[in-house]
Amino acid sequence: MPEPSQPPQSAKRDLGPVTPSALAVQPSSGLTRRQRLRSLGGWLLIASLLILLDQATKAWVLDSLTYAQRIPVLPVFDLTLLYNTGAAFSFLADGDGTQRWLFTGIAGVVSLVILRWLYTQAGQRLLGASLACILGGALGNALDRLLHGHVVDFLLFYWRDWYFPAFNVADIAITCGAVLLILDEILRSRRTRHP
C-alpha cells in the first residue's frame, strides 16, 4: 500500500514560531457565539448600572442645587452644580454649540468599537471590566449632552486657591476604565515577554 504523498515543500506555509504572544491575539477564539453573547451581556449590565448611578446622582444634584451653588463637605471637597459644554477639562467649551453633537457622535462611535471589542475578547475579565467602565461613562455623559445640551458636573476638589475641574460619576468610570485598560496592557505584555 503506497504511503500518502506529502504536499510539496513550496505548498507549506511557514507561520513562524508559535509563541505565547501569537496565541494571545485571539484569546477567546475557543468560545462559542453563545458564550460570547453571555459575556457581552454581563459587561453591558455593568455599563448600564454605571449609567443609572451616574444619571441618578446628576438628577439629585439638579433637584438639590442651583447653578454654581457650593456645599462644603470636606476642607478639600465641595458639592456644586456646574455645566460643561465641552469635553474633559472643558475642552472646546466655548464653541458655538456644534461640539455637543461632535462629542455625542464620538461617544457613539467609541461605544460601537467597545461593543465589538467586548464581543471579540469575551472572557478577558480585566479588559472587559475596563471597557465596561469606559462604555458606561461615555454613554452617561453622552446622555447628558442629548438631554441637557451639556454635561452636569458636581464633584469639586480643591486646595486653597487651586481647583481641579469639577467632574461626575461618568468621569470617574471613564478614568477607572482607562487605568484598568493600561493595567491590562502591562500585564499582557509581561505575559508575552515572560511566558
Side-chain angles (χ1 to χ4, degrees):
M1 181 161 158
E3 292 184 24
S5 62
Q6 294 283 339
Q9 200 65 8
S10 61
K12 291 183 181 178
R13 288 180 47 200
D14 182 17
L15 300 176
V18 178
T19 62
S21 61
L23 296 175
V25 173
Q26 291 290 343
S28 58
S29 60
L31 297 178
T32 65
R33 184 171 189 267
R34 182 180 215 162
Q35 289 170 319
R36 288 175 191 265
L37 288 173
R38 186 179 310 149
S39 177
L40 178 61
W43 298 126
L44 289 178
L45 177 63
I46 291 171
S48 299
L49 291 173
L50 288 170
I51 294 168
L52 287 174
L53 177 62
D54 175 63
Q55 291 299 305
T57 55
K58 289 171 179 174
W60 176 80
V61 168
L62 286 168
D63 287 343
S64 304
L65 301 175
T66 58
Y67 182 77
Q69 179 185 355
R70 289 174 59 175
I71 299 175
V73 179
L74 297 171
V76 295
F77 169 64
D78 290 352
L79 286 175
T80 189
L81 174 59
L82 298 174
Y83 303 142
N84 181 4
T85 55
F89 305 110
S90 298
F91 175 68
L92 292 180
D94 295 330
D96 60 0
T98 56
Q99 72 272 24
R100 170 187 185 184
W101 304 111
L102 171 69
F103 294 131
T104 303
I106 289 171
V109 170
V110 167
S111 297
L112 291 174
V113 170
I114 288 175
L115 287 172
R116 176 71 179 157
W117 201 354
L118 282 169
Y119 178 77
T120 59
Q121 299 299 312
Q124 298 289 320
R125 290 189 179 176
L126 187 55
L127 177 63
S130 69
L131 295 175
C133 287
I134 295 169
L135 180 64
L139 291 178
N141 281 340
L143 195 55
D144 271 14
R145 287 190 176 92
L146 290 173
L147 295 175
H148 310 296
H150 53 256
V151 173
V152 176
D153 290 325
F154 59 92
L155 302 169
L156 181 65
F157 284 87
Y158 58 92
W159 178 250
R160 296 182 182 168
D161 293 332
W162 175 85
Y163 289 84
F164 189 81
F167 57 97
N168 56 45
V169 173
D171 297 330
I172 294 170
I174 292 169
T175 303
C176 290
V179 169
L180 291 175
L181 190 60
I182 292 167
L183 179 61
D184 178 69
E185 188 55 38
I186 291 170
L187 294 175
R188 189 187 312 270
S189 65
R190 279 189 180 175
R191 283 194 300 268
T192 56
R193 271 185 280 159
H194 306 290

